Amino acid sequence: MNNEMLIRITRYYRALNKLRTIGLEKVFAHNLADAAGVSAAIVRKDFSQLNIYGQKRGGYDIVELSDVIGKILGKGEPENVIVVGCGRIGMALMHYSGFENDGINILAGFDNNPGVVSSNSSLIPILPISKLDEFALQNKISAAIITVPEAAAQDTYSHILECNIKGVLNFSPVTLKPMPTADGKLPVVHNINIGLELEQLFYEIKFPKEQSPNS
């Protein structure tokens, strides 16, 4: 499965979960196409490659399809995540209520600023960086979100890897490269530079690409 298909499948899964919560039982390819921003033909092609088949007139059973795609995506028990850097972006992520529906639990935030550190300030505790190692071990943290300033990004990243955390979502301005964790394995690192994304967005607005009908 290539990265583009993985993104689409993840969007299908998120859409199915929303439909599931409001009690719907059936979904059609064009419904999922709208959620993923693609054509119904691409949805059917994706499902064909994954050996998922519905009924021509009956569509897909939402619960069954959600479970199948969940297994493909490796969904099972909720995933525990921490946020390192509790500034505006970090706090916004910690207070976003949509993660829970996707099986993602942000258990805590970490910061080196005593002014924001508090175990009782919200439903999600904000702890000092010094407690990161112990917390990650006790709670089996598999992924961390970095939202620290540029100057602190590399040291924060190194600290996270020392805790044997396997995945990093990096919102800092620095591009982080995979380095071995404590057990010698390479983590999965996704760098999200909002400034660069906006630059690309404005470029594509000024110089739009021709799109095929099925894109």
Side-chain angles (χ1 to χ4, degrees):
M1 186 187 306
N2 60 38
N3 190 55
E4 290 183 357
M5 182 176 175
L6 176 59
I7 291 173
R8 292 197 300 271
I9 295 297
T10 303
R11 288 175 177 170
Y12 303 154
Y13 183 72
R14 291 168 64 92
L16 287 167
N17 282 342
K18 289 180 179 179
L19 295 173
R20 193 171 178 172
T21 58
I22 61 177
L24 295 182
E25 297 181 355
K26 293 289 184 180
V27 67
F28 295 86
H30 68 268
N31 302 130
L32 297 176
D34 291 340
V38 296
S39 67
I42 289 180
V43 175
R44 288 190 286 266
K45 182 179 179 182
D46 287 340
F47 285 176
S48 177
Q49 292 184 33
L50 297 172
N51 295 318
I52 298 173
Y53 302 100
Q55 300 175 355
K56 288 185 177 180
R57 296 186 179 180
Y60 302 88
D61 181 274
I62 289 177
V63 172
E64 181 180 336
L65 183 58
S66 178
D67 290 344
V68 169
I69 293 180
K71 290 179 181 177
I72 292 171
L73 293 174
K75 300 287 185 180
E77 295 297 320
E79 299 286 351
N80 294 330
V81 183
I82 57 173
V83 173
V84 185
C86 297
R88 291 182 180 179
I89 295 177
M91 292 297 289
L93 291 170
M94 289 172 62
H95 289 93
Y96 175 60
S97 61
F99 289 133
E100 188 174 337
N101 291 334
D102 296 324
I104 298 169
N105 292 331
I106 296 183
L107 295 189
F110 292 84
D111 204 283
N112 61 5
N113 181 354
V116 300
V117 170
S118 171
S119 60
N120 299 309
S121 63
S122 65
L123 295 177
I124 300 176
I126 301 175
L127 307 174
I129 292 288
S130 60
K131 294 186 177 292
L132 176 57
D133 308 61
E134 179 184 1
F135 188 93
L137 179 63
Q138 290 180 347
N139 293 278
K140 298 180 180 179
I141 301 298
S142 58
I145 303 173
I146 295 178
T147 57
V148 299
E150 181 175 354
Q154 193 62 52
D155 287 343
T156 299
Y157 178 47
S158 297
H159 190 176
I160 286 171
L161 297 186
E162 290 171 0
C163 298
N164 219 28
I165 291 173
K166 307 299 184 185
V168 174
L169 184 62
N170 173 37
F171 279 90
S172 78
V174 178
T175 299
L176 302 175
K177 297 181 181 180
M179 300 188 306
T181 57
D183 62 2
K185 297 181 180 179
L186 288 177
V188 177
V189 180
H190 287 193
N191 294 289
I192 300 177
N193 188 313
I194 297 175
L196 288 178
E197 294 293 335
L198 284 171
E199 286 184 13
Q200 181 177 344
L201 175 65
F202 289 131
Y203 177 85
E204 292 182 7
I205 291 172
K206 293 177 182 177
F207 306 101
K209 296 181 292 185
E210 292 186 3
Q211 297 184 352
S212 64
N214 292 327
S215 63

